[in-house]
Amino acid sequence: MNWDIFIKMKPVTKPINTSFRSASIQDLDQILFIEQRAYSQPWSEQKFVDSFNHADIDIQLVIQDQTVAGYCLTLSSLEFVDILNICIDPDYQQQGLGRRLLDNLCKQHQGSGRKSIMLEVRESNIVAIDFYQSYGFKQIDVRKKYYSNGEDAKILRLQID
């Protein structure tokens, strides 16, 4: 008699290790690599260097399994936080890292007295606009011909208090 035994096992999934940390100038090459892969009009190296040298600018990295997967560059004032640049490496997009990066930003500024997070986004960047609106950002204005190619920017705000 032949007894075949089948054992049904759950698929093994590797836990995703995501963390956040402040960027330093030593991270510049990784940031530039992501920036150039993600955007058709990336920021220049000098713009990032200037940001690292600005006292009120913070650059937070999202680390996925020990790899820099994205960043969020913000300028804080007394009343609000302005997202100057936010980016997830194309290889890591559609995995919830953008949402986690925004969650981390909101958590950082809880109780800071800042009432909102602001950003500008290209009017043509429908994917980003949909993402921000799904997160809770609302359009509050338009900046005409904001970008170098003459494209308008939508100004979005998220209330955090």
Side-chain angles (χ1 to χ4, degrees):
M1 192 186 283
N2 185 7
W3 293 81
D4 290 328
I5 300 174
F6 294 97
I7 300 172
K8 187 173 183 177
M9 298 178 64
K10 291 183 181 179
V12 177
T13 56
K14 181 180 171 189
I16 296 173
N17 183 12
T18 304
S19 61
F20 304 92
R21 71 170 170 83
S22 292
S24 69
I25 196 72
Q26 287 77 25
D27 298 305
L28 182 59
D29 287 342
Q30 290 175 297
I31 291 169
L32 287 170
F33 178 73
I34 294 169
E35 178 80 5
Q36 291 165 358
R37 292 188 70 222
Y39 294 124
S40 61
Q41 296 178 340
W43 275 23
S44 69
E45 180 176 350
Q46 189 58 52
K47 200 164 186 177
F48 280 104
V49 169
D50 292 345
S51 297
F52 275 111
N53 292 325
H54 193 289
D56 294 322
I57 290 180
D58 180 45
I59 304 172
Q60 288 291 308
L61 302 177
V62 58
I63 312 296
Q64 182 79 12
D65 292 325
Q66 301 179 358
T67 300
V68 175
Y71 53 88
C72 183
L73 198 142
T74 58
L75 174 65
S76 296
S77 67
L78 291 175
E79 295 182 10
F80 65 92
V81 178
D82 192 9
I83 296 176
L84 304 177
N85 192 336
I86 185 169
C87 186
I88 300 296
D89 185 305
D91 289 343
Y92 291 89
Q93 291 177 2
Q94 302 298 315
Q95 297 178 29
L97 293 178
R99 187 167 294 279
R100 294 188 70 191
L101 197 51
L102 287 176
D103 289 345
N104 185 62
L105 178 64
C106 291
K107 183 178 174 183
Q108 277 185 297
H109 292 281
Q110 268 182 336
S112 69
R114 295 179 184 99
K115 300 185 183 313
S116 61
I117 297 174
M118 310 276 287
L119 60 85
E120 292 92 11
V121 61
R122 288 180 184 277
E123 192 173 55
S124 65
N125 194 345
I126 303 303
V127 171
I129 292 167
D130 288 346
F131 167 72
Y132 294 130
Q133 289 177 336
S134 75
Y135 195 84
F137 281 85
K138 307 284 185 219
Q139 182 175 334
I140 60 167
D141 206 351
V142 173
R143 286 205 170 119
K144 296 289 183 184
K145 300 181 182 181
Y146 181 73
Y147 294 100
S148 60
N149 67 353
E151 186 175 358
D152 293 346
K154 292 187 176 198
I155 302 172
L156 305 179
R157 177 177 59 206
L158 175 70
Q159 294 299 124
I160 59 173
D161 65 338

